[in-house]
Amino acid sequence: MRLWTFLLFFGVLVCELFSVTKCAEQRIPDGKLLVLTVATKETGGFKRFLRSAKHFNYTVKVLGRGQTWKGGDYMTAPGGGQKVRLLKEALEEMKTKDTIILFIDSYDVVFSSGPKELLKKFQQAKHRVVFSSESLIWPDRHLEDKHPHVREGNRFLGSGGFIGYLPNIKEMVSDWTGKDDDSDQLFFTKIYIDPAKRKSINITLDTKCRLFQNLHGALDEVVLKFEDGRVRARNVLYDTLPVIIHGNGPTKLQINYLGNYIPNTWTFETGCTVCHEELRPLTALKESEYPLVVIGVFIQQPTPFVSVFFERLLKLQYPKERLRLFIHCQEAHHQPQVSSFLKDHGSLYQDVKVIGPEEVIDGAEARNLGFDKCRKADDCDYFFSLDVEVVLKNENTLKILIEQNLPIVAPMITRAGRLWSNFWGALSAEGYYARSEDYVDIVQGRRVGVWNVPYVSSLYLVKADVLRSELTDYELFTSQILDPDMAFCFNIRNKGLFMHVTNMHTFGRILSTENYKTDHLHNDLWQIFENPVDWQDRYIHENYTHMMKDKLIETPCPDVYWFPIFSEVACDHIVEEMEHFGKWSGGGNTDTRIQGGYENVPTIDIHMNQINFEKEWHKFLLEYIAPVTEKMYPGYYTKCQTPLNFVVRYKPDEQPLLKPHHDASTFTINIALNSKDVDYQGGGCRFLRYDCSISAPRKGWTLMHPGRLTHYHEGLPTTAGVRYIAVSFVDP
């Protein structure tokens, strides 16, 4: 027992004598750490930096606030001397020798861990000053051989971040006499490569990125590491978890990507933690107090469903008296739709400016003009850019974007059934589209939030204050090599401004304009392949999906099924398209349009293939008729092979009726394209075997019945007006 007591006493004594080197070193209190940074203005990057610092309870002192930046553009050329001057001035007022100074950039920096870990790793470095390290030398390559060799890790100093004791850092910057636009990197490098100064100040590099991670030259080394409720960056080359992440040099987009997650901006456990911060709520405002918005509508190519676009624009939930319209219609084909909308509704808006195709202004110039209209109007608060191919389903989109309170924000919209969207998650080295690691998850809604991205298009909101202060260049959209949207985003990125996209709500989608032709009267009818969702919205009866779900199918006669299929618009467009084509058959038995050239039961009609609508009609049958057939005739499956698809016209003085007959089909559909007692009198269909008549067909509804053997039927006389029906003889 005495021996044990002696050994224990001896161990404690040794620990006391050699506590600094042999036992656990006393931890530096967090309160000894002071973070110094230079920020002459509050950018989005600076706010992000402060948010991450606040999350970990760092004490931050900002130098140079409100001053004019004179340190040059050191992303492309040496500069940054102003930071050293401001640091030197700030240190002169500090006296506490055991203060630990962390001096870092802020616009492109985020913290991924707290002071405790930072100070622990600083102590483990066993030097009085620790600089961040880089694999690339900058700005003078001729100094490469003078850098000390390291056993493992990065060899070159990075001036964007260093930590050290106050006296040592004071000594390090005491000789600064440079200009504000001199290179801070070169200044600190020359100190580091001077053996005497390096030893005197006791400087080392964080060669394995345990404290600092500079991204330039290390993009392939850094990945996100998702932990419980937090996110870090991991250096896979050295298997370290850096405390500070710095998007130095040309890696601003990469730090923006990482900043979407680090330290807890978005996690799998919490989702987005900052999406409801600093909002601008509109609910308490009177309508007359709403921000004034200029909506820029841009029509630059033939586009489907333009009439629907203007219907949705009208439904936008925002006071019309707080909206001004700027419409650029470069496409003459759509000028009638613009004129019709403005004739009916233009007076609702505070102001309307239209630039038509006759003015021969291209898309880039039109967008420049639109932005300038808002920029120069003192009362303009926002510019809402809206391309005509946008399907804006969410009527509250504008309110949602304004409340987000961001300089530039886009609602995410996608092309139906595809990964194509109105934002890019990353850029290639050449500045074009590249897919970010999280792009698919964002587009498909597995990650929901507000995301900092390098490119937005088609639909976005811009604060007018930003146009007046940062984006003052008139030709934002003009470029000799880039399209207008890419030129705009390039200019935004060059200004260091952030673009965001939100997928926190469902906003709508974007149309495909590929293969859209304008050689018909109602060209949208042909969009069932390119834009099937919008085709359905426009042309399929609103109760069709309810009918399919709840089996709300009427049976007016035995084995005759009656259900809604076409919208009123579809019926009108088909009739108008046929009348526009105008080549109705003569109603005789001789018919060169069909195989054999003889029609036993002739009608006055136009075949779908005469207007090049056969493929689209077949697609319609497969998508919307075949599912009903399979429900109502169990065990019967059809590929909708259709020898005949046509529209019939009945008129009292032309062909008022159709004699009793069997159809040459397995089953027939007969769609009423107009309304009894509105467009015509009489009409209907009678099934003789069952002595059963449907005398009042509903517009947009179809009859479906067997064609051969059992359902001998006739077309009842049309006594006044004109009756139209669409008919298909369907075989397996």
Side-chain angles (χ1 to χ4, degrees):
M1 184 69 182
R2 289 180 180 178
L3 178 61
W4 170 248
T5 303
F6 172 77
L7 290 173
L8 180 63
F9 173 77
F10 181 78
V12 171
L13 179 63
V14 170
C15 194
E16 284 291 324
L17 289 173
F18 302 101
S19 60
V20 175
T21 58
K22 300 297 182 182
C23 299
E25 188 174 4
Q26 184 177 1
R27 187 174 70 84
I28 301 173
D30 294 357
K32 297 292 184 181
L33 177 67
L34 175 63
V35 180
L36 296 180
T37 190
V38 173
T40 55
K41 62 180 180 180
E42 292 198 6
T43 65
F46 177 69
K47 292 178 181 178
R48 176 181 61 196
F49 167 80
L50 288 184
R51 187 189 304 121
S52 69
K54 181 180 179 181
H55 177 74
F56 292 113
N57 294 316
Y58 282 97
T59 300
V60 179
K61 182 176 181 180
V62 181
L63 310 179
R65 226 170 195 163
Q67 296 184 22
T68 300
W69 175 251
K70 300 177 182 178
D73 177 18
Y74 57 97
M75 274 187 63
T76 55
Q82 186 173 353
K83 295 191 299 181
V84 186
R85 174 176 63 80
L86 291 170
L87 173 62
K88 181 179 179 181
E89 292 171 358
L91 294 180
E92 288 172 355
E93 300 175 2
M94 299 180 188
K95 307 299 181 185
T96 308
K97 293 183 178 181
D98 59 350
T99 297
I100 307 294
I101 299 296
L102 171 64
F103 187 66
I104 50 174
D105 291 348
S106 58
Y107 293 163
D108 50 9
V109 168
V110 291
F111 288 102
S112 66
S113 190
K116 183 177 180 180
E117 181 178 337
L118 177 71
L119 292 170
K120 179 181 178 181
K121 290 180 175 179
F122 169 60
Q123 284 182 281
Q124 291 171 345
K126 301 186 184 304
H127 282 72
R128 301 288 287 183
V129 176
V130 179
F131 270 86
S132 69
S133 67
E134 297 190 46
S135 62
L136 305 173
I137 187 170
W138 165 266
D140 188 350
R141 292 185 178 182
H142 298 95
L143 300 178
E144 179 176 352
D145 292 340
K146 296 186 178 182
H147 281 72
H149 288 277
V150 297
R151 182 178 301 175
E152 184 181 8
N154 298 325
R155 183 182 171 194
F156 306 112
L157 175 145
S159 65
F162 56 84
I163 184 171
Y165 285 93
L166 176 62
N168 301 74
I169 294 180
K170 273 188 174 182
E171 180 185 350
M172 185 170 64
V173 300
S174 61
D175 292 336
W176 172 261
T177 57
K179 300 176 183 178
D180 280 356
D181 60 353
D182 285 348
S183 172
D184 62 330
Q185 175 84 10
L186 189 59
F187 171 73
F188 289 120
T189 295
K190 287 182 175 180
I191 293 174
Y192 175 66
I193 63 177
D194 183 320
K197 290 183 177 179
R198 185 170 67 248
K199 182 177 180 180
S200 171
I201 301 171
N202 196 9
I203 302 174
T204 191
L205 301 185
D206 177 32
T207 58
K208 295 184 182 179
C209 306
R210 300 180 72 243
L211 291 84
F212 305 95
Q213 177 66 65
N214 289 315
L215 296 179
H216 188 32
L219 293 178
D220 293 337
E221 302 170 12
V222 180
V223 298
L224 287 171
K225 183 178 187 292
F226 291 90
E227 300 176 345
D228 293 337
R230 66 182 289 191
V231 187
R232 299 197 64 163
R234 176 173 173 248
N235 186 303
V236 295
L237 181 62
Y238 304 118
D239 194 22
T240 55
L241 297 173
V243 177
I244 297 160
I245 316 301
H246 181 199
N248 59 319
T251 63
K252 303 301 182 247
L253 301 186
Q254 287 73 22
I255 190 64
N256 291 347
Y257 168 75
L258 296 175
N260 282 330
Y261 297 94
I262 299 171
N264 72 327
T265 306
W266 190 97
T267 72
F268 285 105
E269 292 80 9
T270 63
C272 181
T273 63
V274 301
C275 292
H276 299 287
E277 294 180 1
E278 300 182 20
L279 298 181
R280 179 183 182 175
L282 299 176
T283 51
L285 299 179
K286 299 176 183 177
E287 288 196 348
S288 59
E289 297 172 336
Y290 271 52
L292 193 145
V293 182
V294 174
I295 299 181
V297 175
F298 299 97
I299 307 171
Q300 297 180 237
Q301 60 189 333
T303 304
F305 305 107
V306 170
S307 296
V308 183
F309 170 88
F310 281 113
E311 290 171 12
R312 293 199 172 103
L313 178 62
L314 187 65
K315 293 178 182 177
L316 199 62
Q317 294 300 301
Y318 202 87
K320 300 289 188 294
E321 64 271 16
R322 302 300 294 162
L323 297 176
R324 295 173 185 163
L325 296 183
F326 176 90
I327 301 176
H328 173 237
C329 182
Q330 192 173 344
E331 180 55 52
H333 174 74
H334 293 308
Q335 191 62 32
Q337 292 153 310
V338 174
S339 300
S340 176
F341 170 75
L342 294 179
K343 178 182 177 183
D344 294 338
H345 309 293
S347 61
L348 298 174
Y349 297 89
Q350 189 185 106
D351 182 60
V352 176
K353 168 68 175 175
V354 180
I355 299 175
E358 70 282 354
E359 298 188 46
V360 197
I361 292 177
D362 65 20
E365 178 61 16
R367 293 174 191 272
N368 289 334
L369 281 170
F371 270 58
D372 207 44
K373 182 177 176 65
C374 177
R375 184 187 290 116
K376 290 180 176 177
D378 293 338
D379 56 350
C380 179
D381 297 301
Y382 293 91
F383 188 89
F384 187 41
S385 185
L386 179 59
D387 289 358
V388 76
E389 56 264 33
V390 170
V391 180
L392 197 59
K393 298 281 285 185
N394 191 326
E395 297 176 359
N396 292 305
T397 296
L398 184 52
K399 288 182 180 179
I400 291 168
L401 297 183
I402 290 174
E403 290 183 336
Q404 234 16 94
N405 198 26
L406 293 166
I408 303 165
V409 59
M412 189 191 77
I413 53 175
T414 61
R415 189 165 290 171
R418 296 176 60 182
L419 291 174
W420 196 98
S421 76
N422 66 325
F423 78 96
W424 296 351
L427 296 181
S428 68
E430 296 76 25
Y432 293 93
Y433 171 82
R435 181 173 290 181
S436 61
E437 186 181 67
D438 56 2
Y439 178 82
V440 174
D441 281 350
I442 293 173
V443 169
Q444 295 183 342
R446 291 192 291 271
R447 300 186 188 185
V448 175
V450 180
W451 311 94
N452 189 328
V453 296
Y455 173 90
V456 296
S457 66
S458 302
L459 175 65
Y460 48 86
L461 184 75
V462 182
K463 279 187 175 181
D465 287 346
V466 174
L467 295 178
R468 299 184 190 105
S469 60
E470 302 288 341
L471 301 175
T472 56
D473 182 8
Y474 174 81
E475 295 189 333
L476 289 173
F477 292 89
T478 304
S479 171
Q480 297 297 318
I481 58 174
L482 301 174
D483 68 35
D485 286 325
M486 290 184 66
F488 173 62
C489 294
F490 175 83
N491 287 323
I492 291 173
R493 296 192 301 269
N494 274 3
K495 290 288 186 179
L497 295 171
F498 288 169
M499 292 170 277
H500 289 86
V501 65
T502 172
N503 66 339
M504 294 185 68
H505 301 80
T506 300
F507 294 100
R509 55 187 175 269
I510 192 160
L511 295 169
S512 169
T513 57
E514 300 166 12
N515 305 316
Y516 185 67
K517 297 175 181 174
T518 59
D519 48 1
H520 299 285
L521 179 65
H522 295 295
N523 299 282
D524 297 346
L525 282 168
W526 277 258
Q527 286 295 297
I528 191 170
F529 290 103
E530 291 292 337
N531 293 290
V533 175
D534 297 272
W535 194 93
Q536 176 174 316
D537 281 356
R538 186 64 162 164
Y539 292 128
I540 295 300
H541 198 287
E542 62 183 356
N543 291 328
Y544 174 82
T545 53
H546 300 296
M547 175 272 296
M548 286 295 293
K549 181 180 178 182
D550 302 325
K551 297 183 179 179
L552 302 177
I553 300 176
E554 298 183 21
T555 311
C557 298
D559 287 325
V560 176
Y561 301 108
W562 199 16
F563 55 91
I565 188 69
F566 274 153
S567 67
E568 293 251 351
V569 173
C571 296
D572 294 343
H573 282 192
I574 292 171
V575 169
E576 291 167 9
E577 194 68 46
M578 293 303 181
E579 289 292 359
H580 178 70
F581 180 71
K583 297 179 182 179
W584 296 94
S585 66
N589 295 105
T590 300
D591 193 340
T592 58
R593 299 172 301 171
I594 62 176
Q595 189 174 0
Y598 182 83
E599 172 59 69
N600 188 43
V601 186
T603 54
I604 292 179
D605 56 46
I606 295 175
H607 290 188
M608 296 298 182
N609 60 14
Q610 289 180 260
I611 62 167
N612 297 317
F613 197 58
E614 191 77 4
K615 287 192 303 181
E616 288 76 12
W617 189 263
H618 182 242
K619 176 72 170 175
F620 155 70
L621 294 175
L622 282 173
E623 293 291 329
Y624 300 102
I625 297 298
V628 183
T629 306
E630 292 165 10
K631 277 182 176 290
M632 305 317 298
Y633 301 117
Y636 178 81
Y637 301 97
T638 179
K639 294 183 180 179
C640 293
Q641 300 302 320
T642 52
L644 279 179
N645 303 300
F646 51 96
V647 171
V648 179
R649 182 173 74 183
Y650 291 112
K651 295 171 68 174
D653 58 350
E654 191 175 65
Q655 181 184 9
L657 54 82
L658 193 60
K659 67 181 183 180
H661 62 283
H662 283 293
D663 291 337
S665 66
T666 302
F667 71 91
T668 298
I669 64 165
N670 176 333
I671 307 172
L673 297 179
N674 56 350
S675 300
K676 184 174 181 177
D677 298 330
V678 176
D679 303 306
Y680 65 90
Q681 298 292 326
C685 182
R686 177 171 175 260
F687 295 91
L688 281 71
R689 179 173 181 173
Y690 307 107
D691 191 23
C692 180
S693 299
I694 297 98
S695 58
R698 302 166 190 163
K699 183 177 180 180
W701 284 55
T702 186
L703 293 172
M704 184 170 70
H705 59 82
R708 300 181 178 93
L709 295 179
T710 57
H711 282 63
Y712 192 60
H713 60 285
E714 64 180 333
L716 299 175
T718 297
T719 58
V722 184
R723 179 186 177 215
Y724 298 93
I725 60 172
V727 178
S728 284
F729 294 162
V730 185
D731 286 319

